[in-house]
Amino acid sequence: MAKRLTGNISSQYLEAANRLRSKNARKKIVAYVESYDDILFWRTVLSPYENDKRYFEVMLPSHRTLERGKKSVLMNLVFKERKEERGERKEERDMLGPSMIACVDADYDYLIKGATETSRKVCESPYVLHTYAYSIENLQCYAPSLHNVAVMVTLNDHRIFDFEEWLSLYSEAIFPLFVWSIWHYRRPIYGNFTITDFNRTIELGGFTLSNPLGAIQNIRNKVFKKVGWLQRQYPDAKESYLALKRELLEELGVTPQTTYLYIQGHHLFDKVVVPVMQKVCTKLVRDREQEIRYQSRHSTQMHNELSCYNHSTQDIVQMLKKNMGYVQCDAFRRIQQDTERLLNVSFEKLDGSADAERLGSGGDE
């Protein structure tokens, strides 16, 4: 019986538990996330909204299995109860509500606007917060913050590379093909041009600090060829393509300069930003080491200083994962706005407000 009860913990269950506590006690809101790496990010989002009336506990959705990901967060938060009534039937009830929310990566679900069941859940549920950007990795790669990451890695504040300008040019180069990718995923033909196909085309390939624009030009050439191929495959798609392009620009916040925030996060992190950071940080470390060699008065001092400096440098991947410069990003501000809207309705509902009951009823029934 205990296993059955814990397996069906829902927002209503937590609300009842909150009501059993003192009226002055803070109400607990559980926030389920996709993976261990997401806990810190969503803690960063939710912490400012804790006060003397409420607090959050950010956790993974399953204590009994190691299943992770958006499917685990969203689909496991619905339980099916069987009822005998003129034959057997299944009833589905949403476990999310004012005391239990889901916090997930947007992936393409935000941009395809309800084309799938998961997308509808992400876009329409009042108790689901999402990143707007494809994933947390995209926000960790927020271009204006990358110089600071390079400083954290190398302890060298010399600006030898313009991350913002380069990622803006990279985004502009891939934007036409990105529109095609979203165009496919809004239709049941996404298998004809998958995210994997898209990533293969926009892969960085060679990159050098001596000619950073060479990589951009190479991507432009690959995108141009692929777009031409798609136009020949779908000769009647011009009008729908242009309509989608306008929608992305005017309604969904995707611009040609910020496309990198909306492509697959692992690809951006592993195949684009980390390789560039490695080149930049290697140069910054060598410059600092050369400076130490030049300023040292004797070999002992030089070896001591080099050893101290090398022990002070950090790992690029770890520093990117700890990067919180995304708090200045428009996507992060939108997450904050969604959190405020959710709490304005949800917390009133927890207090029994009639107006909040009317506004929030869709998430509990």
Side-chain angles (χ1 to χ4, degrees), residues 178-195:
F178 176 76
V179 178
W180 274 111
S181 182
I182 301 300
W183 186 90
H184 278 80
Y185 272 81
R186 284 196 179 187
R187 293 162 172 78
I189 57 170
Y190 59 87
N192 295 345
F193 184 54
T194 64
I195 290 179

Side-chain angles (χ1 to χ4, degrees), residues 194-213:
T194 64
I195 290 179
T196 301
D197 297 328
F198 174 66
N199 288 342
R200 191 176 296 116
T201 305
I202 66 170
E203 193 165 316
L204 188 58
F207 172 86
T208 63
L209 282 177
S210 59
N211 183 26
L213 295 183

Side-chain angles (χ1 to χ4, degrees), residues 299-326:
S299 61
T300 301
Q301 183 185 45
M302 180 185 71
H303 289 303
N304 288 341
E305 287 295 322
L306 285 174
S307 177
C308 180
Y309 174 65
N310 289 330
H311 279 92
S312 299
T313 58
Q314 302 294 326
D315 178 73
I316 292 171
V317 171
Q318 292 304 312
M319 289 301 100
L320 277 171
K321 287 183 177 295
K322 294 178 181 179
N323 178 28
M324 297 177 65
Y326 51 72

Side-chain angles (χ1 to χ4, degrees), residues 68-315:
R68 301 288 179 260
K70 182 184 291 185
K71 182 178 180 180
S72 176
V73 174
L74 296 181
M75 300 311 173
N76 286 357
L77 295 181
V78 173
F79 71 85
K80 298 177 174 66
E81 73 179 20
R82 295 177 177 272
K83 288 190 176 180
E84 292 289 341
E85 185 178 328
R86 295 183 181 178
E88 193 177 75
R89 67 172 187 174
K90 290 182 181 179
E91 270 190 14
E92 289 191 355
R93 194 160 85 189
D94 198 341
M95 299 170 70
L96 299 177
S99 292
M100 180 184 289
I101 64 174
C103 303
V104 299
D105 288 339
D107 299 329
Y108 269 8
D109 292 316
Y110 164 60
L111 298 179
I112 64 177
K113 293 185 67 174
T116 66
E117 180 183 356
T118 301
S119 178
R120 288 191 293 274
K121 187 77 170 177
V122 168
C123 296
E124 298 173 9
S125 174
Y127 302 115
V128 174
L129 297 176
H130 65 82
T131 54
Y132 286 97
Y134 188 98
S135 69
I136 291 170
E137 285 89 346
N138 299 73
L139 296 174
Q140 291 167 339
C141 295
Y142 180 50
S145 71
L146 291 182
H147 174 71
N148 287 347
V149 175
V151 174
M152 288 191 292
V153 171
T154 67
L155 305 180
N156 187 341
D157 197 20
H158 187 202
R159 291 181 180 269
I160 64 171
F161 185 74
D162 191 334
F163 290 102
E164 290 186 61
E165 178 65 19
W166 191 87
L167 275 173
S168 176
L169 292 172
Y170 175 81
S171 294
E172 290 174 358
I174 68 175
F175 180 71
L177 192 60
F178 176 76
V179 178
W180 274 111
S181 182
I182 301 300
W183 186 90
H184 278 80
Y185 272 81
R186 284 196 179 187
R187 293 162 172 78
I189 57 170
Y190 59 87
N192 295 345
F193 184 54
T194 64
I195 290 179
T196 301
D197 297 328
F198 174 66
N199 288 342
R200 191 176 296 116
T201 305
I202 66 170
E203 193 165 316
L204 188 58
F207 172 86
T208 63
L209 282 177
S210 59
N211 183 26
L213 295 183
I216 300 294
Q217 187 57 51
N218 180 48
I219 290 170
R220 285 177 184 150
N221 293 338
K222 291 191 293 181
V223 167
F224 179 78
K225 292 178 182 177
K226 195 66 176 181
V227 167
W229 181 83
L230 289 167
Q231 288 173 338
R232 291 189 295 273
Q233 292 293 115
Y234 305 100
D236 300 325
K238 181 177 180 180
E239 185 175 337
S240 58
Y241 174 92
L242 293 175
L244 174 59
K245 181 180 177 180
R246 287 192 298 270
E247 183 182 345
L248 291 172
L249 292 169
E250 298 171 7
E251 299 180 24
L252 299 178
V254 183
T255 69
Q257 294 75 33
T258 60
T259 313
Y260 74 95
L261 290 172
Y262 302 93
I263 68 175
Q264 189 179 57
H266 291 309
H267 179 83
L268 175 71
F269 193 100
D270 296 334
K271 302 297 185 181
V272 180
V273 172
V274 168
V276 172
M277 288 287 295
Q278 286 173 334
K279 297 286 187 179
V280 172
C281 290
T282 297
K283 178 68 165 62
L284 288 171
V285 167
R286 286 176 178 171
D287 288 349
R288 178 65 75 211
E289 289 174 341
Q290 184 62 34
E291 183 180 276
I292 291 172
R293 291 188 180 93
Y294 179 77
Q295 293 178 347
S296 297
R297 295 183 178 180
H298 47 75
S299 61
T300 301
Q301 183 185 45
M302 180 185 71
H303 289 303
N304 288 341
E305 287 295 322
L306 285 174
S307 177
C308 180
Y309 174 65
N310 289 330
H311 279 92
S312 299
T313 58
Q314 302 294 326
D315 178 73

